[in-house]
């Protein structure tokens, strides 16, 4: 059944700057550790002084694939007070690199030492409310002084156990679906981006100019990730020893004689470049997740470098992409741990298709159709990262998602817009149902598909 509660998530909660490789396993845990540090700092000083140890227990897919995703490093970083937006991604990679590395966690005047053996990959536990659960326990004299349970619910979002829902703000254009957006647009004669931006002004309490500034920062970060990826060669970190290939493909594209090959190779290389940066744990933008962080940057780079699109139009397309991500997250999920890769790469591809369509001035119906087509053909896509690293199949899958997005845009923009029989809301519902019926082996646990075949075949 479609959810009728209006969406009150900000565009900037979908698009977050932070280190790779995983929004749910890196950014979310870092934020959870930061939230626990804040909790510690609110304790009376005498209680803080009693704390001798801090232990962190990781459950579900955080336990299964957390090592490959750098979850333990992200937790130490969060406890050190680092934030995903501003942390130095290279310093983050060096945390816990050497056996015996230890860190002083400061909450007020007291310091508690945390080492690798304070972070426990604890498998599955009974009665977990959410698969990606983190429990923090601070103890002293054999007693628990304070504890916290957090859930990493995908896309870098976290929730704390017992956390109360904030009162929903009254938005000028409440919506929870694409059909509602269509109606608002028709009744009030507003373009899609204007509906979203007017809501965003209320949601984040900032002026239009400030919102545009933040959008520009995100667009710049995305393009920088592509540039960095194209300029870097060598092996990605981890046991797979996967060679980067964006730079090689890009060079090949520049010398390709055939212009169709050149176009596709460039689009592929852009997506690979940002996805490889993510796989290397460097700075990216969740779009809507880190695992799928190559698709929208590839489209942004394409529109800037090859279509010479102006910033204003680019922002408008970007906001249309956000609308698609918000609806998918609200009515289904963008978490690989909940619905498999259809929620990550599938949704990113749909967002990118909507971006292309809106930025190229198609009708709202065609924007919706582009997103629907792109998501429809990712339905059922499982999440099976080899060795728990966001590398195989994730990186190439970003390239495929970018190409699908372009194709979705082409299929939707050429021809009669009302010809599409499936709506975007219907395909999101199909994704939700498919995800609910998918075996947990295919939800970021590295227990099925390629993850198993790579080891055993
Ligand atoms: S397979 Fe897809 S959902 Fe799973 S980690 Fe990779 S990108 Fe994310």
């Amino acid at each position: 059944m479609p959810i009728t509660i209006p969406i009150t998530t900000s565009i900037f909660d979908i698009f977050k700057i932070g280190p790779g490789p995983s929004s749910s396993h890196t950014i979310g845990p870092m934020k959870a550790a930061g939230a626990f540090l804040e909790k510690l700092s609110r304790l009376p000083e005498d209680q803080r002084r009693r704390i001798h140890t801090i232990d962190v227990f990781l459950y579900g897919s955080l336990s299964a694939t957390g090592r490959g995703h750098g979850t333990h490093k992200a937790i130490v970083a969060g406890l050190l007070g680092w934030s995903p937006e501003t942390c130095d991604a290279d310093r983050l990679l060096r945390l816990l690199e050497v056996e015996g590395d230890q860190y002083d966690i400061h909450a007020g005047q007291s310091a508690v030492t945390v080492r690798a053996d304070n972070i426990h990959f604890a498998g599955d536990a009974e009665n977990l409310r959410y698969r990606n659960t983190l429990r923090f326990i601070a103890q002293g004299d054999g007693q628990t002084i304070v504890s916290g349970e957090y859930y990493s619910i995908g896309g870098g979002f976290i929730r704390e156990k017992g956390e109360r829902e904030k009162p929903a703000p009254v938005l000028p254009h409440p919506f929870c679906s694409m059909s509602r957006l269509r109606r608002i647009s028709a009744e009030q004669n507003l373009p899609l981006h204007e509906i979203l931006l007017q809501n965003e002004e209320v949601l984040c309490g900032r002026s239009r100019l400030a919102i545009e500034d933040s959008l520009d920062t995100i667009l710049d970060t995305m393009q920088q990730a592509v540039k960095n990826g194209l300029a870097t060669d060598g092996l990605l970190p981890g046991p797979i020893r996967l060679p980067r290939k964006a730079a090689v493909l890009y060079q090949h594209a520049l010398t390709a004689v055939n212009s169709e090959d050149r176009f596709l190779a460039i689009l592929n290389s852009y997506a690979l470049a940002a996805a490889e940066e993510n796989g290397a744990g460097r700075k990216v933008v969740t779009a809507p997740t880190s695992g799928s962080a190559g698709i929208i940057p590839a489209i942004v780079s394409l529109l800037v470098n090859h279509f010479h699109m102006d910033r204003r139009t680019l922002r408008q397309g970007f906001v249309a992409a956000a609308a698609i991500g918000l609806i998918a997250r609200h009515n289904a999920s963008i978490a690989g741990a909940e619905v498999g890769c259809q929620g990550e790469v599938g949704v990113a591809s749909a967002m990118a298709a909507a971006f292309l369509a809106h930025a190229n001035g198609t009708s709202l119906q065609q924007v919706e159709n582009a997103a629907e087509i792109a998501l429809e053909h990712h339905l059922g896509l499982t999440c099976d990262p080899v060795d728990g690293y966001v590398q195989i199949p994730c990186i190439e899958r970003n390239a495929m998602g970018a190409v699908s997005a372009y194709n979705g845009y082409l299929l939707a923009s050429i021809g009669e817009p009302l010809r599409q029989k499936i709506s975007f809301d219907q395909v999101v519902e199909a994704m939700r149902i498919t995800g609910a019926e998918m075996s947990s082996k295919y939800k970021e646990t590295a227990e099925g598909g390629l993850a198993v075949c790579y080891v055993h075949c």
Side-chain angles (χ1 to χ4, degrees):
M1 285 290 289
I3 296 168
T4 51
I5 301 161
I7 295 172
T8 52
T9 305
S10 160
I11 292 170
F12 301 106
D13 285 327
I14 288 279
F15 294 110
K16 292 184 287 290
I17 297 170
S22 167
S23 38
S24 55
H25 289 56
T26 316
I27 295 178
M30 195 188 294
K31 285 166 68 177
F36 188 68
L37 180 70
E38 245 185 80
K39 198 171 188 170
L40 288 180
S41 65
R42 286 197 301 270
L43 287 177
E45 183 59 27
D46 61 322
Q47 286 198 40
R48 279 201 304 257
R49 281 182 194 281
R50 287 176 54 211
I51 298 172
H52 286 148
T53 55
I54 297 174
D55 285 285
V56 188
F57 297 85
L58 306 175
Y59 299 99
S61 85
L62 289 177
S63 173
T65 61
R67 279 190 188 83
H69 288 89
T71 305
H72 48 321
K73 295 170 190 262
I75 286 168
V76 169
L79 289 173
L80 287 169
W82 301 5
S83 78
E85 301 78 32
T86 55
C87 75
D88 178 334
D90 292 328
R91 266 184 84 197
L92 174 65
L93 283 173
R94 291 196 294 273
L95 292 177
L96 296 175
E97 268 304 271
V98 179
E99 209 182 320
D101 274 352
Q102 57 181 48
Y103 304 90
D104 283 344
I105 306 304
H106 293 273
Q109 293 170 15
S110 335
V112 183
T113 303
V114 166
R115 289 180 282 269
D117 56 10
N118 293 114
I119 298 166
H120 310 271
F121 293 89
D124 274 322
E126 295 291 309
N127 305 322
L128 283 181
R129 196 173 146 221
Y130 190 84
R131 284 189 55 71
N132 284 339
T133 293
L134 306 94
R135 286 190 184 134
F136 293 75
I137 301 177
Q139 290 186 307
D141 309 322
Q143 287 183 329
T144 298
I145 312 281
V146 64
S147 64
E149 181 166 313
Y150 302 85
Y151 313 109
S152 180
I153 58 173
F157 290 83
I158 58 159
R159 199 171 285 156
E160 185 175 1
K161 185 181 182 182
E163 180 182 316
R164 291 218 189 109
E165 292 281 333
K166 289 191 193 116
V170 180
L171 298 177
H173 310 295
F175 72 93
C176 60
S177 63
M178 186 48 91
S179 63
R180 178 74 192 137
L181 273 180
R182 248 189 282 118
R183 191 142 21 109
I184 296 169
S185 175
E187 286 171 2
Q188 303 194 30
N189 195 23
L190 286 173
L192 177 59
H193 60 269
E194 196 50 42
I195 298 169
L196 269 284
L197 287 171
Q198 288 184 14
N199 278 357
E200 191 63 36
E201 285 169 354
V202 175
L203 276 170
C204 65
R206 292 158 70 204
S207 69
R208 181 66 64 96
L209 215 59
I211 292 169
E212 287 177 354
D213 260 6
S214 298
L215 290 174
D216 286 351
T217 303
I218 290 171
L219 287 165
D220 291 342
T221 308
M222 285 182 162
Q223 287 178 83
Q224 193 57 49
V226 171
K227 280 185 198 152
N228 292 344
L230 291 180
T232 313
D233 215 340
L235 299 181
L236 289 167
I240 306 172
R241 299 180 57 75
L242 187 69
R244 289 180 180 245
K245 61 180 169 202
V248 178
L249 184 62
Y250 185 66
Q251 289 309 317
H252 166 79
L254 295 182
T255 53
V257 181
N258 181 320
S259 62
E260 289 81 11
D261 276 3
R262 193 180 312 137
F263 174 78
L264 269 181
I266 284 178
L267 179 56
N268 274 291
S269 67
Y270 285 163
L272 289 177
E276 286 173 357
E277 283 295 282
N278 178 64
R282 312 289 287 281
K283 193 162 275 187
V284 292
V285 179
T286 62
T289 64
S290 305
S292 55
I295 296 171
I296 295 179
I299 298 304
V300 173
S301 299
L302 188 78
L303 291 174
V304 172
N305 300 344
H306 303 271
F307 293 84
H308 309 293
M309 195 159 273
D310 64 86
R311 199 31 91 102
R312 195 164 150 268
T313 315
L314 209 60
R315 282 190 213 115
Q316 293 173 355
F318 190 72
V319 170
I324 295 299
L326 287 167
I327 292 169
R329 177 178 181 268
H330 191 74
N331 296 291
S333 174
I334 55 168
E338 280 189 338
V339 294
C341 200
Q342 52 176 354
E344 297 206 11
V345 164
V347 171
S349 187
M351 291 166 74
F355 191 146
L356 279 161
H358 193 64
N360 280 297
T362 68
S363 68
L364 178 52
Q365 185 63 59
Q366 285 167 314
V367 171
E368 173 178 351
N369 292 353
E372 187 281 315
I373 293 166
L375 181 54
E376 181 179 315
H377 302 288
H378 285 95
L379 286 180
L381 192 64
T382 60
C383 168
D384 51 357
V386 166
D387 275 349
Y389 282 75
V390 189
Q391 297 180 3
I392 302 173
C394 319
I395 293 172
E396 281 178 4
R397 194 166 280 174
N398 274 263
M400 301 301 285
V403 173
S404 287
Y406 201 88
N407 212 23
Y409 152 64
L410 280 183
L411 287 171
S413 59
I414 298 162
E416 163 60 49
L418 292 177
R419 205 169 280 245
Q420 203 67 17
K421 296 292 184 195
I422 306 280
S423 71
F424 183 68
D425 294 333
Q426 286 169 336
V427 80
V428 168
E429 177 63 357
M431 177 175 77
R432 187 189 68 75
I433 293 169
T434 308
E437 291 175 356
M438 193 182 276
S439 160
S440 66
K441 283 183 188 174
Y442 304 111
K443 295 182 185 176
E444 226 166 357
T445 53
E447 289 172 357
L450 286 171
V452 175
C453 291
Y454 176 78
V455 177
H456 299 297
C457 295

